Amino acid sequence: MNYNSMIKEKETVMNHEGAKAYKMTPEMELYTAVVTSALSDKFYESNDERMDRIATLIRQVDPQFVAKLAVYTRTQMNLRSIPLFLIVELAKIHNGDSLVKRTIEQCVLRADEIMELLMCYQLRNSEGKGIKKLSKLSRQVQEGLKSAFNRFDEYQFAKYNRSNLEVKLKDALFIVHPKASSEAQQEVFDKIVSDTLQTPYTWETQLSELGQKHFDSQEEKLAAVKALWEELIDSNKVGYMALLRNLRNILQAQVSPAHIEKVSATISDPVKVEKSKQMPFRFLAAYKELMGVESVHTSAVLSALERAVKESVNNLEGFGTDTSVLVAADVSGSMFSSVSDRSSVMQFDIGILLSMLLKSKCSSVISGMFGDIWKAVNLPQENILANTIEMQRREGEVGYSTNGYLVIDYLIANDIKIDKVMMFTDMQMWDSRRGDNHIQKIWEQYRQKYPESKLYLFDLSGYGNTPVELTKDNAVLVSGWSDKVFDVLKAIENGEDAIAQINKVEI
């Protein structure tokens, strides 16, 4: 697929800042909207607007592409909610064969995703009828969920059997009517009906039980919390993500040095990091959470997080000393939107973190940030998370506009030859000085002297337009928050693109 097909030739639009931009094809716009979505409000776009735009785009592309995109985002980008949304919208427009069923079979990988898919289906089809609408569930959705029900055992069902869900596990069983694949599985289904699933041993249940106990003194309670955390750590039953989210609690519980060493070894273990499939910003969130914790062990755990985030991109191929790279992070005001309602991490954080991850793999690199101005910031290649924090600390030094053209202007003014210019941005670039300094124009000027240079735009927001024309030998687009964006980068180096990567998925 030629990169020229990513945009409609000469079709320009206005971005959210009122500057000229270039429209993408529906496939490319759908891809960027999906992989930058946590179903939470963006700076320029609300949840409902984003979902409606995705739904509209789904109707403009081949159903096979939608199915492949759902599987790609679930299995490659490690997203959970948005693939289910794609499935629900796909079911509205495709009834001819088993495509929806097969997509569900590849996307529903956790027991709670059965209920989440049904809740999404209810939301997008209810028209005020609530759960009753699920009595007319799409046949292909039902068939896909029947298969999903036979994928999970009693422990997995019990872990996600929550009473606060609008569509509960028992509701889902009655709606889907799965046929058990074995007698043992039928026993599990019967327990779901009778509400007799065995409560699983999890760190949540253990801490909850402890919280309900009476203690004669605060010292006695603290000792019990410490003992329980040490028991949980020794049990190896605290999952990787749960461990990341509880590092602060573990330090505050004052567990022994031996247990801190075990926790640090676990979160930095290369095999466990790869298996966990954590997005890089999860490590950053944990790092930020610990910075205010007063403990003699905090530094050791911070160092373990640095090792972990390096392992998360261990397979990223860097660039040799003969390749020069510039990484530029957008710190404009519109980048200060959180990735979800439950997260303190912002798109701003992700842009800087991804730029620092890439910087760590490059031998010849200039790094910096842009807003009202562009500023190069010299930082060591090591300590990815510490570098990210330092960049965040200094973001106010450049202001809050989106003058991305100044990155290229800097190269022209200083006659610097850069092979790869990489910008991490929400793509809403303009000239806040009200001049004629459009980045497309400045980029063309730069390439007149250095025609082999290439511009890589990492789209972190998915608003559906680009500030420059995308062409294979000039400027290319990557989108998303995951370290998996670097897999797309590798594909681009091999003459492919993100759409080609998605189309390789087998359904």
Side-chain angles (χ1 to χ4, degrees):
M1 178 175 177
N2 190 288
Y3 276 77
N4 287 318
S5 65
M6 288 188 189
I7 58 171
K8 295 180 179 179
E9 187 176 1
K10 297 182 180 179
E11 185 172 353
T12 60
V13 293
M14 293 295 171
N15 66 21
H16 289 285
E17 292 290 355
K20 184 178 77 171
Y22 299 87
K23 189 169 178 60
M24 302 175 188
T25 62
E27 289 81 5
M28 198 65 179
E29 184 178 351
L30 180 60
Y31 154 69
T32 61
V34 164
V35 298
T36 57
S37 177
L39 297 184
S40 60
D41 289 356
K42 304 291 184 186
F43 186 85
Y44 294 112
E45 189 176 42
S46 71
N47 267 352
D48 289 344
E49 289 172 342
R50 173 62 61 108
M51 287 192 290
D52 288 344
R53 181 160 68 92
I54 290 174
T56 298
L57 289 166
I58 285 171
R59 286 155 178 76
Q60 298 174 20
V61 303
D62 189 313
Q64 288 281 341
F65 179 78
V66 179
K68 290 182 177 185
L69 180 59
V71 175
Y72 176 81
T73 53
R74 183 66 185 93
T75 62
Q76 300 299 313
M77 304 297 279
N78 302 320
L79 302 177
R80 291 188 53 245
S81 295
I82 195 65
L84 304 181
F85 180 83
L86 291 174
I87 289 169
V88 168
E89 294 301 312
L90 177 62
K92 293 181 182 181
I93 63 171
H94 189 81
N95 301 306
D97 57 23
S98 63
L99 179 64
V100 174
K101 174 181 180 290
R102 288 179 280 125
T103 306
I104 290 174
E105 290 173 342
Q106 293 189 58
C107 289
V108 175
L109 305 180
R110 283 186 8 177
D112 60 328
E113 290 170 352
I114 294 174
M115 289 78 82
E116 187 172 350
L117 191 150
L118 289 171
M119 286 187 285
C120 181
Y121 190 95
Q122 173 185 317
L123 173 68
R124 298 296 294 179
N125 293 278
S126 66
E127 298 176 355
K129 297 177 183 177
I131 196 169
K132 292 181 180 179
K133 182 65 179 180
L134 294 176
S135 63
K136 296 182 180 179
L137 192 65
S138 158
R139 180 174 179 80
Q140 284 302 306
V141 171
Q142 186 174 24
E143 290 300 315
L145 289 179
K146 283 182 179 180
S147 296
F149 258 102
N150 280 288
R151 171 174 285 165
F152 308 110
D153 59 23
E154 181 175 1
Y155 175 86
Q156 292 166 310
F157 281 125
K159 184 176 179 181
Y160 297 108
N161 187 23
R162 296 167 183 163
S163 61
N164 61 343
L165 296 177
E166 187 167 350
V167 178
K168 300 173 180 60
L169 178 58
K170 185 192 293 188
D171 297 330
L173 186 74
F174 289 151
I175 291 165
V176 174
H177 300 295
K179 182 178 180 181
S181 58
S182 65
E183 290 185 9
Q185 193 69 12
Q186 184 60 56
E187 290 179 10
V188 173
F189 292 170
D190 292 342
K191 287 184 177 182
I192 293 174
V193 173
S194 60
D195 290 321
T196 56
L197 289 171
Q198 183 176 353
T199 302
Y201 174 92
T202 67
W203 64 272
E204 295 106 323
T205 58
Q206 295 298 299
L207 288 171
S208 177
E209 289 178 10
L210 182 64
Q212 296 172 18
K213 289 184 177 180
H214 172 73
F215 295 95
D216 293 331
S217 67
Q218 183 66 13
E219 289 76 14
E220 184 182 352
K221 180 178 180 180
L222 292 175
V225 171
K226 175 183 178 181
L228 178 56
W229 269 117
E230 291 180 346
E231 177 187 332
L232 289 170
I233 292 166
D234 288 335
S235 74
N236 295 316
K237 290 188 176 180
V238 182
Y240 191 92
M241 188 171 184
L243 203 59
L244 281 183
R245 289 180 168 177
N246 281 282
L247 290 175
R248 182 188 185 93
N249 293 332
I250 291 169
L251 285 173
Q252 291 179 332
Q254 299 180 15
V255 301
S256 73
H259 287 89
I260 291 293
E261 186 175 342
K262 187 169 185 177
V263 168
S264 298
T266 297
I267 62 177
S268 60
D269 180 86
V271 175
K272 290 183 171 63
V273 170
E274 182 178 2
K275 186 178 179 180
S276 74
K277 298 181 180 180
Q278 295 298 311
M279 288 191 180
F281 70 79
R282 302 290 188 195
F283 299 106
L284 177 62
Y287 192 93
K288 292 170 70 174
E289 185 74 13
L290 293 188
M291 291 187 68
V293 177
E294 295 182 5
S295 168
V296 295
H297 302 300
T298 300
S299 294
V301 180
L302 291 175
S303 295
L305 286 169
E306 285 283 10
R307 295 195 297 273
V309 78
K310 288 176 187 173
E311 289 295 340
S312 74
V313 289
N314 191 45
N315 294 326
L316 170 62
E317 295 183 1
F319 305 102
T321 54
D322 59 339
T323 302
S324 56
V325 180
L326 182 147
V327 292
D330 178 353
V331 296
S332 61
S334 57
M335 292 288 288
F336 286 73
S337 299
S338 61
V339 299
S340 74
D341 296 335
R342 295 173 293 177
S343 177
S344 62
V345 176
M346 297 175 286
Q347 293 171 341
F348 152 80
D349 298 317
I350 293 172
I352 293 176
L353 176 58
L354 290 177
S355 72
M356 291 299 101
L357 284 168
L358 189 57
K359 173 185 172 66
S360 72
K361 307 297 285 189
C362 299
S363 299
S364 304
V365 59
I366 297 172
S367 60
M369 51 192 171
F370 65 93
D372 294 335
I373 63 172
W374 151 258
K375 185 169 189 174
V377 180
N378 293 318
L379 293 169
Q381 281 187 281
E382 300 298 319
N383 298 326
I384 294 167
L385 298 175
N387 283 353
T388 301
I389 297 296
E390 175 62 15
M391 288 279 281
Q392 292 172 337
R393 186 184 69 81
R394 298 180 61 176
E395 49 83 17
E397 296 176 9
V398 299
Y400 302 103
S401 294
T402 321
N403 293 329
Y405 75 90
L406 291 174
V407 177
I408 315 303
D409 228 14
Y410 159 81
L411 297 177
I412 293 173
N414 294 279
D415 194 19
I416 301 173
K417 180 183 181 298
I418 290 290
D419 298 308
K420 303 177 187 296
V421 178
M422 300 186 168
M423 303 178 73
F424 298 81
T425 174
D426 67 1
M427 311 281 277
Q428 304 307 296
M429 298 184 194
W430 63 307
D431 180 2
S432 67
R433 302 171 188 184
R434 304 296 178 184
D436 187 30
N437 295 305
H438 193 281
I439 188 171
Q440 174 73 35
K441 174 184 173 183
I442 307 299
W443 178 241
E444 288 173 355
Q445 291 175 7
Y446 182 71
R447 290 193 76 246
Q448 286 178 4
K449 184 166 186 179
Y450 300 112
E452 300 303 316
S453 294
K454 186 177 288 188
L455 177 63
Y456 296 76
L457 296 172
F458 291 78
D459 182 359
L460 303 178
S461 291
Y463 291 125
N465 54 67
T466 69
V468 299
E469 293 186 86
L470 301 176
T471 60
K472 183 176 180 180
D473 299 319
N474 183 340
V476 294
L477 179 69
V478 183
S479 191
W481 306 330
S482 167
D483 56 298
K484 298 300 180 182
V485 299
F486 299 126
D487 290 344
V488 179
L489 182 62
K490 183 177 179 180
I492 288 171
E493 296 302 306
N494 293 328
E496 294 185 339
D497 57 47
I499 304 303
Q501 288 288 98
I502 295 164
N503 280 323
K504 285 182 176 181
V505 172
E506 294 185 3
I507 303 293

